[in-house]
């Protein structure tokens, strides 16, 4: 079993991006997503690409890891690219046969859309998921949303649930492996037979897994109670988040990037993406 | 010395759906635990020892009898949530399954969980966490993810979690049962250190006989009641009672007991294998046999 998948994609490091306040990084990635959709023409895309390359260099994360992160969306990228090539209508006809006409603009458009997806994933992962531990992420989210607690949104409880969920993913993966082995030893076949058969073979895995999860939850609740847990009220934290001027500056940089992209769109020519 | 725990005729039953399903887990149990001592509660499965642990850390309250914890009678009837909460600051518990008591992903965050609940200042939490981790020898794992530790290491993290709350008494409910021999030794070392060096009252619930030899006092339970108690030497010098309670005695003790029954003049009690060898050699020497 691959435990790394379960642990988010955090890559150890001490770069500026790693050290930024998680709240700042959450805001940065939100603004960054807006930025990516603000980029319209080739020049804006060039600036954005340069910016992401700069961020990757700054984070010190290996390019290979970033590329590996793109693998899961490869299919979506190819799919959107193909759709764009065939459906986009422009002026310069490249190939035309039967009912299919491929325009040069369609190819440009497809390339920019693929680039947009790549930038979206590479950018957000380098700002947020690769450089922030899951725990400081939930921590940042909790503080960022803490004003909502005033209108009775259980922010602390949600954050704790996320923390516990993250904590138990590897434990449950390990347990699933054990139960599967136990069922295999009893003759269960998970990789043979029709789809229906294989799904049915999973039931004897899921039932004990659920049963033991409830037992775990019960024990954990008792343990938490014994450790004096009684909700978020009056609770302090060991790690105090302190926003520094650098954090504010970093968020500003991302916002300014968006402004710059809009200006570039308006004041330079070049091919612009369709949507 | 003051008594941190006083139990008088404590009984507890698990209610079933029907009267036949009712299980009387504890029947009229009485004992006292002095502050700062190391007590081992021995008993086989189903003897009621884990039920007792749950009463001592106030997960359940007794059905009848009197249970006084740190001067507060929790069986008083009008005991408040806040009183129980205050007692839990003093009395902690380390459970059997190391996986089901670790809340946070990172070791030091988990150790900080208890102090955070108490509302302690961040700088003080930091200090306590570092202190607690070094007390159990886990400082170098502070930033590691808890799920990758061995069972013994996880239990030591759980102990650090109890330590960081500056508790006066820690109950170990079969905390070594799921560990391999190496892990068990690591954890026992930490537990003994807590008692000897930090002066924390330790109540260790176990069915491993050799762990009893660390104790100041041993309480043996069987079928929901206390069958015998005393110092390890006293309890183990009466192996018949232990066998009757479905328990074994340490191998060295059993050997000495059997030799004594066979007519060799050896003292009974607990000892390490090498001490045992010396005792036997001594006794044989006295008898005049060639060794």
């Amino acid at each position: 079993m691959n435990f790394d998948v379960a642990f988010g994609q955090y890559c150890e490091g001490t770069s500026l991006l790693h050290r930024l306040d998680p709240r700042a990084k959450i805001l940065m990635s939100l603004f960054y997503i807006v930025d990516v959709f603000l980029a319209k023409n080739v020049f804006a895309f060039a600036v954005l690409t340069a910016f992401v390359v700069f961020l990757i260099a700054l984070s010190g994360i290996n390019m290979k890891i970033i590329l590996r992160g793109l693998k899961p969306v490869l299919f979506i990228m190819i799919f959107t690219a193909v759709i764009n090539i065939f459906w986009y209508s422009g002026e310069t006809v490249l190939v035309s046969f039967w009912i299919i006409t491929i325009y040069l603009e369609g190819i440009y458009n497809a390339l920019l859309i693929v680039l947009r997806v790549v930038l979206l994933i590479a950018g957000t992962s380098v700002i947020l998921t690769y450089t922030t531990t899951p725990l400081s992420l939930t921590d940042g989210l909790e503080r960022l949303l803490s004003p909502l607690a005033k209108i009775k949104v259980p922010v602390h409880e949600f954050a704790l649930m996320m923390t516990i969920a993250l904590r138990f993913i590897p434990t449950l993966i390990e347990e699933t492996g054990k139960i599967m082995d136990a069922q295999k030893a009893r003759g269960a076949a998970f990789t043979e037979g029709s789809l229906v058969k294989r799904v049915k073979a999973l039931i004897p895995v899921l039932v004990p897994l659920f049963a033991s999860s409830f037992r775990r939850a019960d024990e954990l609740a008792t343990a938490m109670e014994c450790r004096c847990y009684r909700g978020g009220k009056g609770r302090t934290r060991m790690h105090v988040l302190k926003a520094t001027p650098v954090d504010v500056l970093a968020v500003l940089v991302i916002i300014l990037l968006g402004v710059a992209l809009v200006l570039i769109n308006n004041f330079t020519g070049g091919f612009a993406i369709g949507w | 010395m003051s008594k941190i725990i006083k139990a008088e005729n404590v009984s507890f039953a698990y209610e079933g759906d029907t009267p036949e399903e009712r299980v009387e887990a504890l029947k009229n149990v009485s004992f006292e635990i002095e502050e700062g001592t190391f007590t081992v509660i021995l008993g086989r499965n189903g003897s009621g020892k884990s039920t007792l642990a749950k009463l001592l850390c106030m997960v359940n309250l007794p059905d009848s009898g009197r249970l006084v914890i740190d001067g507060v009678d929790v069986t008083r009837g009008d005991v408040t949530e806040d009183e129980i909460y205050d007692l839990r600051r003093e009395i902690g518990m380390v459970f059997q399954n190391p996986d089901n008591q670790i809340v946070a992903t990172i070791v030091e965050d988990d150790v900080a969980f208890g102090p955070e609940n108490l509302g302690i200042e961040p700088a003080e939490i930091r200090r306590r966490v570092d202190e607690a981790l070094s007390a159990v020898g886990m400082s170098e794992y502070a930033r590691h993810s808890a799920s990758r530790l061995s069972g013994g290491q996880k239990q030591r993290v759980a102990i650090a979690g109890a330590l960081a709350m500056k508790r006066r008494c820690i109950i170990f409910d079969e905390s070594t049962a799921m560990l391999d021999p190496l892990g068990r030794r690591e954890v026992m070392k930490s537990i003994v250190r807590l008692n000897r060096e930090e002066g924390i009252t330790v109540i260790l619930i176990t069915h491993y006989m050799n762990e009893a030899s660390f104790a100041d006092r041993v309480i043996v339970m069987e079928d929901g009641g206390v069958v015998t108690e005393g110092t390890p030497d006293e309890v183990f010098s009466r192996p018949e009672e232990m066998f009757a309670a479905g328990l074994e005695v340490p191998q060295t003790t059993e050997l000495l007991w059997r030799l004594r029954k066979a007519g060799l003049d050896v003292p009974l009690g607990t000892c390490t294998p090498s001490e045992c060898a010396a005792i036997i050699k001594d006794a044989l020497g006295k008898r005049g046999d060639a060794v």
Side-chain angles (χ1 to χ4, degrees), chain A residues 224-256:
Chain A
M224 282 170 68
E225 218 180 333
C226 283
R227 294 174 76 180
C228 291
Y229 177 75
R230 54 171 175 188
K233 232 172 104 189
R235 211 168 174 262
T236 49
R237 301 306 297 266
M238 177 168 70
H239 301 292
V240 190
L241 295 182
K242 257 194 255 145
T244 59
V246 179
D247 293 311
V248 180
L249 204 68
V251 178
L252 275 178
V253 165
I254 303 283
I255 295 175
L256 286 177

Side-chain angles (χ1 to χ4, degrees), chain A residues 17-128:
Chain A
L17 277 170
H18 284 86
R19 280 177 285 128
L20 282 179
D21 189 304
R23 287 172 297 183
K25 283 193 271 191
I26 293 168
L27 288 177
M28 280 166 75
S29 44
L30 287 179
F31 286 122
Y32 173 79
I33 293 170
V34 176
D35 288 356
V36 171
F37 286 96
L38 284 177
K40 290 279 184 245
N41 71 16
V42 271
F43 296 106
F45 269 100
V47 169
L48 197 61
T49 310
F51 183 74
V52 171
V53 170
F54 166 72
L55 283 184
I56 293 171
L58 189 69
S59 71
I61 290 168
N62 198 324
M63 203 66 191
K64 266 189 211 148
I65 296 173
I66 307 272
L67 291 178
R68 207 169 44 201
L70 291 173
K71 235 200 237 157
V73 288
L74 198 65
F75 174 74
I76 296 175
M77 292 197 300
I78 293 171
F79 188 71
T80 42
V82 169
I83 293 222
N84 269 283
I85 288 170
F86 290 112
W87 260 262
Y88 199 85
S89 49
E91 285 158 9
T92 332
V93 177
L94 220 54
V95 192
S96 184
F97 62 93
W98 193 37
I99 55 164
I100 296 165
T101 319
I102 296 176
Y103 298 95
L104 185 62
E105 287 83 358
I107 294 191
Y108 283 156
N109 206 56
L111 286 176
L112 285 189
I113 288 226
V114 168
L115 185 61
R116 181 185 269 175
V117 176
V118 169
L119 290 177
L120 204 58
I121 288 164
T124 47
S125 47
V126 86
I127 292 172
L128 203 61

Side-chain angles (χ1 to χ4, degrees), chain B residues 53-130:
Chain B
K54 281 190 183 141
L55 295 187
L56 295 184
C57 70
M58 295 154 286
V59 174
N60 297 326
L61 290 177
D63 293 337
S64 66
R66 220 163 83 92
L67 180 61
V68 183
I69 297 173
D70 199 25
V72 180
D73 184 352
V74 296
T75 44
R76 214 176 53 223
D78 60 343
V79 69
T80 60
E81 286 259 327
D82 284 340
E83 271 179 298
I84 301 258
Y85 184 82
D86 286 339
L87 284 179
R88 284 204 176 122
R89 300 177 72 130
E90 306 295 341
I91 296 180
M93 174 123 142
V94 175
F95 293 84
Q96 179 174 19
N97 189 335
D99 271 322
N100 295 355
Q101 52 189 324
I102 291 178
V103 181
T105 312
I106 307 290
V107 168
E108 61 173 16
D109 291 320
D110 184 72
V111 177
F113 180 77
E116 284 175 346
N117 289 336
L118 299 178
I120 291 161
E121 287 297 306
E124 171 68 9
I125 298 180
R126 182 77 256 172
R127 210 180 53 74
R128 285 189 182 193
V129 167
D130 292 342

Side-chain angles (χ1 to χ4, degrees), chain B residues 136-147:
Chain B
V136 294
M138 289 292 291
S139 295
E140 56 182 308
Y141 295 96
R143 299 291 310 153
H144 282 232
S145 105
S147 64

